[in-house]
Amino acid sequence: RPRVLSGIQPTAGSFHLGNYLGAVRQWVALQETHDAFYMVVDLHAITVPQDPKELRANTRLAAAQLLAAGLDPERCTLFVQSHVPEHAQLAWVMNCLTGFGEASRMTQFKDKSARQGADRASVGLFTYPILQVADILLYQANEVPVGEDQRQHIELTRDLAERFNGRFGPTFTLPKPYILKETAKIYDLQDPSIKMSKSASTPKGLINLLDEPKATAKKVRSAVTDTDTVIRFDPETKPGVSNLLSVYSTLTGTAVAELEQKYEGKGYGALKTDLAEVMVDFATPFRERTRSYLDDPETLDAILAKGAEKARAVAAETLAQTYARVGFLPAK
Ligand code: TYM
């Protein structure tokens, strides 16, 4: 079986619709066909200031949401990044292989540090993509299911893997991004020119999966569209409507062309009302399942402990090979 690996930050509390459609949904599907490793990336979360209590709670909450979304610990390896110390260890080696200029070109760092004020951004935020490189290479992942915003980090992963292999001999698998076109980038409901995100979206533009159903329905019904009236998929001239169609299509498994037909001659109101219902029908059982996993933290922690053990077995082997190749004296 080919291997996949991916991660999600626990920072935000509730997952948003972009996280789910862009990434987590694919994780669930890939556990059936791939040897799958999925993690909650708490080491990445501390690249910006974190409250310890909240981080702990949000790490459990993220794991609960992944299980609620359909990850099955019998079919995949689900773990918390800090439970596997090899991530930080391999990241150090990768840091020493990365050019300063190369790291400076990472667009997500540029965006995030600009938002915080460049002087206040941590060195950890700067080296964030290199920790992600280590995450991926440790598991010799063939594919990495993510949204479009992570593509550059996977390219960096390939570059560093190639550099290491060239310098020290074949060690790492070169991973490919696994990005589905239809859901690569889910847009903000109020401003369909930007991606939906916790940091940039306004509350009205952001669908949190754990929101009250009423609030979710309202956000969908007040989504920004355009002054035209035709329901047609055309991201260039009709970004708002196209975004709604993508979401609708993915959540219901109906082709976009079929939806265009269904809504021919109908107004945007009808589309939004129906999509609001689709969203609520999806989110309601998701919230309930999340809550039931949270109600039983012992079972949740046991799942994560088992996941960490499975992950470590793979990670330790890769790290040992890497250390040997680099020339570290083995500890006797
Ligand atoms: P994070 O936590 O920001 O987001 C988790 C996943 O959600 C995707 N995503 C979106 N997809 C489509 N449309 C959107 N509007 C949208 N917003 C978010 C992201 O692309 C991501 O796949 N650096 C990563 C976490 C990470 C990781 C890794 C990923 C750490 N190590 C190793 C893969 C492999 C991140 O911050 O994702």
Side-chain angles (χ1 to χ4, degrees), residues 16 19-20 34 37 42 100 121 141 146 148 194 210 220 238 269:
H16 62 71
N19 296 140
Y20 177 70
H34 287 65
F37 288 79
D42 54 349
F100 198 86
V146 287
E148 182 62 38
I194 61 168
L210 298 177
V220 175
K238 300 169 77 66

Side-chain angles (χ1 to χ4, degrees), residues 108-305:
Q108 213 170 49
F109 169 73
K110 286 197 255 181
D111 294 348
K112 283 193 192 176
S113 58
R115 228 173 284 132
Q116 283 188 44
D119 282 348
R120 245 184 285 162
S122 70
V123 175
L125 188 66
F126 183 63
T127 59
Y128 175 117
I130 304 163
L131 176 59
Q132 184 168 349
V133 167
D135 294 340
I136 298 168
L137 296 183
L138 267 182
Y139 298 91
Q140 309 284 11
N142 304 98
E143 291 183 281
V144 185
V146 287
E148 182 62 38
D149 60 351
Q150 299 299 313
R151 189 185 291 277
Q152 196 187 31
H153 294 165
I154 297 166
E155 276 161 15
L156 177 69
T157 309
R158 292 176 64 88
D159 288 346
L160 291 178
E162 260 189 311
R163 191 171 307 158
F164 188 100
N165 290 350
R167 205 171 289 175
F168 301 107
T171 308
F172 296 115
T173 304
L174 266 53
K176 288 198 193 75
Y178 180 94
I179 301 174
L180 296 189
K181 209 165 120 236
E182 315 82 73
T183 50
K185 195 167 175 183
I186 301 298
Y187 294 89
D188 182 300
L189 293 191
Q190 287 298 311
D191 178 359
S193 70
I194 61 168
K195 72 168 182 187
M196 187 179 285
S197 85
K198 288 271 171 179
S199 45
S201 295
T202 58
K204 277 180 77 184
L206 176 79
I207 301 272
N208 281 315
L209 299 187
L210 298 177
D211 277 351
E212 289 293 324
K214 265 196 194 141
T216 300
K218 199 168 159 202
K219 286 182 193 179
V220 175
R221 283 198 305 266
S222 52
V224 166
T225 44
D226 52 56
T227 52
D228 190 29
T229 52
V230 188
I231 296 176
R232 183 166 48 85
F233 187 80
D234 182 352
E236 287 288 310
T237 60
K238 300 169 77 66
V241 174
S242 303
N243 188 42
L244 296 181
L245 285 171
S246 300
V247 171
Y248 196 150
S249 162
T250 315
L251 283 178
T252 58
T254 320
V256 168
E258 215 174 297
L259 291 175
E260 286 174 334
Q261 251 176 21
K262 180 174 172 188
Y263 288 99
E264 206 182 319
K266 293 190 184 150
Y268 291 162
L271 172 71
K272 289 183 193 174
T273 306
D274 290 354
L275 177 57
E277 201 180 306
V278 166
M279 265 310 309
V280 169
D281 286 350
F282 165 75
T284 304
F286 175 84
R287 289 172 77 213
E288 281 163 12
R289 284 195 298 269
T290 301
R291 203 170 304 137
S292 75
Y293 282 111
L294 286 177
D295 282 345
D296 185 1
E298 270 164 40
T299 303
L300 190 61
D301 290 354
I303 289 172
L304 295 174

Side-chain angles (χ1 to χ4, degrees), residues 11 45 76 86 90 93 121 146 168 210 218 308 312:
T11 336
C76 70
E86 285 80 1
L90 184 62
V93 176
V146 287
F168 301 107
L210 298 177
K218 199 168 159 202
R312 261 201 105 167

Side-chain angles (χ1 to χ4, degrees), residues 318-332:
T318 309
L319 187 76
Q321 273 172 12
T322 310
Y323 271 22
R325 292 261 154 81
V326 166
F328 291 151
L329 180 69
K332 282 280 177 239

